[in-house]
Amino acid sequence: MYWEKELETLPEKELRQLQVNRLNITLAHARRSPFYGELFGRNGNHPESVNDVKGIESLPFTVKQQLRDHFPYGFLTLPQKEIIRLHSSSGTTGNPTVIFHNRHDIDSWANLMARSLFCAGVRDTDVFQNIVGYGLFTGGLGFQYGIEKLGALSIPAGAGNSLRQIKLMRDYGTTAIHAIPSYLTRLYDVFREEHLNPQKDTRLRLLCIGAEPHTEEQRQRIQEMFGVKAYNSFGLSEMNGPGVAFECEYQNGLHIWEDAFLVEIVNPDTLQPVPDGEFGELVMTTLDRQANPLIRYRTRDITRIIPGACPCGRTHRRIDRITGRTDDMFILKGCNIFPMQIEGVLMKIPEVGTDYRITLETVSDQDTMVIDVEIKKDCFRGDLAFLDKLQKRLTHLIRDEVLVTPVIRLVEPGSLPKAEGKAVRVYDTRKR
Ligand code: COA
Ligand code: AMP
Ligand code: ZN
């Protein structure tokens, strides 16, 4: 059963030809943006069109820093009048990354999301509760439009308030949920605290999990807790958001929608392609986006192409679960965080010393971020009210920057253990 049978089962040769056609259209769109117009115009070596998918390798990569440097409109190909939505990253320091969509882009994304949900087994008879952040997070509206396109009943619950989530599930007979995996273990705990059992006291029949790395063991635990299958959903805001790659009923890797994205896996050091089956960095080119196309975007996510065909009959290749990143970004409670964001906040505060340490840990099945911050010696004068105020101020400033409330511990100068060689700032001890 497919959402779009012909497209999803397109024979390999035809799929590649479709990609080439769409890539050439995308290149023409891209040249209209100030960034690519300049980049491709400046260097005559960049072809205006390609004859096959390998032709992409003659084009330069695009990286996150370029999105930031050309903020806000440098990648935009259309007049603002034609743009209907933007999604951007969090943060109050530095330039965020922003992606703009015209109506075509939103429709295309909604269709990819509907296709993804259908692929995992969601149907128009389902009641779908979307338990992730709305607003600028792409998981909220991204899933929302997909659920509506598919025709299921959507509950745009948003993140937080577990008791209310459970009430919504029970009141409306929720059959499907989208949430990040670490939150589902928290939700399960709240079920148990309420003396409820999700397997008996709800009508759940499937889960979609994603937006953060997780292991197969973690998936198994979640499936055992809720007594239903949990399908891996992958996406990133630069490639719309969710709806990039999704698992089918076989749960054997994620079909990446190749009519909408051109996929490369490269060695992150040499930037040369690696053979199918080998891990490397995922590089993606949009093939069906008009307002804000991206060419050879380095996602920084590490995965591989899983060789071979999937028994479901879909011809779009499968990627493996994400095993890590080639930069230092980490994800906590579904929020992307760069250590530099935290350093940026801390270093603006005159009382803060030179060293700090971030520890990510799981306490009673809830992920937390503890930040030990060295404070200058003269701040430790026994004035507890002063330290309390400083601690609260740092908590608020960091929460505003990364959208997660940290636990701040003020420590004396020199008290943090020194790492040998390059300073290690992040210790991740979370249960996965
Ligand atoms: N999804 C849903 N709910 C979450 C969550 C998540 N990723 N992370 C935490 N929560 C819940 C907590 O369980 C708590 O509710 P409860 O006490 O009723 O169980 C509530 O949100 C507040 O969490 P807390 O950890 O105390 O607050 P915080 O200030 O550190 O985090 C959030 C605030 C959760 C609102 C913020 O991290 C957020 O918006 N996360 C969602 C991001 C997201 O959805 N990303 C995916 C996009 S695809
Ligand atoms: P955002 O741009 O905020 O949507 O975050 C995108 C990033 O979240 C990706 O680049 C990945 O690092 C991570 N991510 C999204 N989905 C998954 C998933 N299913 N498994 C692992 N990591 C994921
Ligand atoms: Zn399949």
Side-chain angles (χ1 to χ4, degrees):
M1 292 275 276
Y2 309 99
W3 178 247
E4 293 159 295
K5 181 161 195 267
E6 206 185 318
L7 255 181
E8 289 174 55
T9 59
L10 209 57
E12 157 91 22
K13 214 169 143 210
E14 288 171 45
L15 188 51
R16 297 295 156 241
Q17 191 53 52
L18 177 71
Q19 289 190 307
V20 172
N21 299 346
R22 289 191 169 181
L23 176 59
N24 287 331
I25 295 170
T26 299
L27 289 175
H29 275 300
R31 280 172 184 275
R32 287 183 208 125
S33 72
F35 175 78
Y36 286 119
E38 223 260 314
L39 184 69
F40 294 154
R42 179 163 25 103
N43 184 342
N45 294 333
H46 297 139
E48 288 203 9
S49 64
V50 297
N51 297 323
D52 55 29
V53 282
K54 284 299 257 182
I56 189 88
E57 289 169 20
S58 59
L59 295 162
F61 292 96
T62 306
V63 295
K64 201 188 252 300
Q65 191 57 42
Q66 289 167 324
L67 290 177
R68 291 198 177 116
D69 291 346
H70 297 267
F71 174 84
Y73 297 124
F75 281 78
L76 195 55
T77 64
L78 296 169
Q80 191 225 293
K81 182 176 159 289
E82 294 186 39
I83 305 306
I84 61 168
R85 197 194 303 162
L86 68 79
H87 284 279
S88 87
S89 59
S90 64
T92 54
T93 56
N95 284 342
T97 50
V98 58
I99 299 292
F100 298 95
H101 303 272
N102 69 355
R103 191 167 302 282
H104 165 90
D105 300 336
I106 293 292
D107 289 347
S108 162
W109 179 14
N111 190 57
L112 289 174
M113 248 339 291
R115 186 198 290 175
S116 301
L117 292 168
F118 198 92
C119 173
V122 181
R123 295 293 178 268
D124 57 7
T125 43
D126 276 301
V127 178
F128 198 110
Q129 190 163 329
N130 192 22
I131 313 186
V132 298
Y134 274 66
L136 293 172
F137 289 113
T138 51
L141 288 176
F143 265 76
Q144 184 64 30
Y145 274 52
I147 302 162
E148 290 178 8
K149 176 113 192 160
L150 186 83
L153 169 57
S154 60
I155 307 183
N161 200 342
S162 303
L163 283 176
R164 181 151 179 268
Q165 299 289 355
I166 292 173
K167 180 161 167 45
L168 287 171
M169 287 171 74
R170 287 164 52 79
D171 282 353
Y172 302 111
T174 297
T175 55
I177 275 182
H178 169 226
I180 67 166
S182 56
Y183 176 68
L184 283 172
T185 38
R186 159 73 185 159
L187 187 64
Y188 180 76
D189 280 351
V190 181
F191 264 103
R192 302 310 292 178
E193 283 161 20
E194 295 300 300
H195 306 289
L196 291 168
N197 178 346
Q199 300 195 25
K200 295 204 184 93
D201 300 310
T202 73
R203 295 175 57 195
L204 261 189
R205 60 173 208 92
L206 71 89
L207 304 167
C208 299
I209 54 173
E212 66 176 7
H214 55 282
T215 57
E216 183 56 34
E217 292 68 35
Q218 198 180 356
R219 185 232 293 269
Q220 295 296 340
R221 274 202 305 276
I222 290 169
Q223 294 192 147
E224 277 159 29
M225 286 171 181
F226 288 87
V228 296
K229 279 187 168 189
Y231 296 91
N232 196 347
S233 151
F234 169 78
L236 61 154
S237 303
E238 294 90 329
M239 295 290 134
N240 300 339
V244 170
F246 226 94
E247 279 185 330
C248 68
E249 64 199 277
Y250 291 97
Q251 294 182 303
N252 55 358
L254 300 87
H255 288 285
I256 188 153
W257 303 124
E258 297 194 78
D259 55 323
F261 304 102
L262 188 63
V263 180
E264 299 171 79
I265 308 280
V266 302
N267 176 314
D269 299 320
T270 63
L271 299 181
Q272 292 305 307
V274 303
D276 281 6
E278 248 177 57
F279 281 91
E281 184 178 318
L282 176 66
V283 171
M284 299 185 74
T285 299
T286 60
L287 293 179
D288 193 26
R289 213 161 65 187
Q290 296 178 349
N292 203 153
L294 289 181
I295 314 292
R296 302 194 87 196
Y297 183 71
R298 290 188 59 187
T299 66
R300 300 292 184 165
D301 288 317
I302 298 171
T303 183
R304 65 177 183 126
I305 295 285
I306 299 176
C310 181
C312 77
R314 290 179 180 82
T315 49
H316 299 238
R317 289 176 298 169
R318 289 162 297 142
I319 55 166
D320 213 331
R321 64 176 60 251
I322 307 295
T323 57
R325 291 194 46 98
T326 62
D327 62 8
D328 58 0
M329 185 187 98
F330 60 88
I331 302 179
L332 183 73
K333 298 181 192 174
C335 300
N336 299 355
I337 303 176
F338 288 93
M340 272 312 288
Q341 287 179 278
I342 291 172
E343 181 161 323
V345 171
L346 294 178
M347 293 310 144
K348 273 196 218 127
I349 309 297
E351 292 87 351
V352 170
T354 49
D355 213 0
Y356 67 94
R357 191 166 83 157
I358 301 167
T359 310
L360 309 174
E361 47 191 47
T362 309
V363 182
S364 338
D365 266 327
Q366 289 214 72
D367 286 351
T368 42
M369 170 166 65
V370 178
I371 311 179
D372 291 295
V373 184
E374 270 188 13
I375 298 298
K376 289 183 182 150
K377 209 168 185 62
D378 57 0
C379 296
F380 285 96
R381 293 172 304 229
D383 183 349
L384 289 181
F386 169 82
L387 290 176
D388 187 49
K389 216 168 128 198
L390 178 60
Q391 194 230 21
K392 286 205 172 84
R393 189 162 150 233
L394 289 177
T395 305
H396 280 138
L397 286 172
I398 288 173
R399 150 100 214 186
D400 284 352
E401 177 63 32
V402 301
L403 306 180
V404 174
T405 313
V407 175
I408 300 283
R409 291 193 302 223
L410 304 180
V411 302
E412 294 200 36
S415 60
L416 290 177
K418 293 273 174 270
E420 277 182 29
K422 199 166 169 273
V424 180
R425 298 295 193 190
V426 184
Y427 294 82
D428 193 345
T429 66
R430 284 176 292 180
K431 205 163 106 194
R432 285 285 175 263

